[in-house]
Amino acid sequence: MMKEAARRGELEIFYQPKVDMSKGTLVGVEALLRWRHPTLGLLQPEMFNLARLQNESSVIDLGHWVITKTLQQISDWRKAGFQTPVSVNIMVSELINDNFCDWLSGIFRHYSDVDPSMLELEIVESSQISDPVSLFEVITQCRLSGVKFALDDFGTGYSSISHMRNLPADHVKIDKMFVNEIVHNIQDQELVKFIIAIASVFERKAIAEGIENVNQGLMLMRLGCKIGQGYAIARPMAAVDLPGWVNEYKGHPEWMAA
Ligand code: G
Ligand code: MN
């Protein structure tokens, strides 16, 4: 199903900025898959039920397609004088199948103008980790080439704390579930404080996602998280629009004054 959509050119990647809220600067973007469906319009992955495809080879093909497209995009942007790290969502099943690291080195040989540290893989926590040892090995091997890793949706899965302990990563993404009510909910504030503290002990940087208003950003900064992503900053946008957005973005005055 997705293969045909890809062949028909209906799959697109949108990019959502991540910024340092205190400085008003871009720190990277997240690549998000969208399906421009001929009759249903622009669909997000949740709407075309990626979970149902899990463990099928189509997930791997689709994952490979997204990473390949992303490297092509980084290369195109570079030629146009624009550079930023890009993160891609990846499921555990993609990482521990199919000689992932060998495949990734091959693709980097093809896009030899792209520095591996410009790519970050966000491990989606909801995907079950069946074999933590081999996952550790895959991450460790990929990181040797300079590729970065993030634990996505942190706190929503079955064994977040053990992932923090056992899996090497550069970033931890605070799930939007914990950001939604953060301005008024003291328990959520404490939870986020805990995530930031534990991330810092393990030397991983916290990134908050799903920031929809200025006050959520202010609260996150007060709790110690300066890097954020969400509609309050920008919606995911087409690749052509990103350099212009970055040029225009001056930061949120309320955040920069905090
Ligand atoms: O968990 P993950 O980082 O993959 O989530 C990204 C998804 O969240 C994307 O589909 C994106 O469109 C959506 N998203 C991004 N920012 C916001 C936001 O501020 N609010 C909500 N509700 N969704 C967001
Ligand atoms: Mn993500």
Side-chain angles (χ1 to χ4, degrees), residues 73-83 113 243:
Q73 188 59 64
I74 296 174
S75 171
D76 290 348
W77 274 332
R78 208 183 113 94
K79 287 181 191 108
F82 176 76
Q83 205 173 0
D113 61 328

Side-chain angles (χ1 to χ4, degrees), residues 174-206:
I174 302 171
D175 193 74
K176 46 184 170 290
M177 177 201 288
F178 307 120
V179 172
N180 270 341
E181 299 162 29
I182 197 154
V183 175
H184 303 291
N185 186 327
I186 292 168
Q187 292 172 331
D188 284 349
Q189 291 169 13
E190 290 300 321
L191 264 176
V192 166
K193 240 201 274 184
F194 165 75
I195 295 175
I196 294 167
I198 203 78
S200 140
V201 168
F202 285 90
E203 298 178 328
R204 315 194 188 324
K205 256 195 203 139

Side-chain angles (χ1 to χ4, degrees), residues 30 32 87-89 122 124 152-153 173 209 229:
E30 177 171 4
L32 296 160
S87 64
V88 171
N89 296 287
E122 297 191 2
V124 181
D152 204 0
D153 312 320
K173 295 192 81 175
E209 56 182 24
Q229 177 183 355

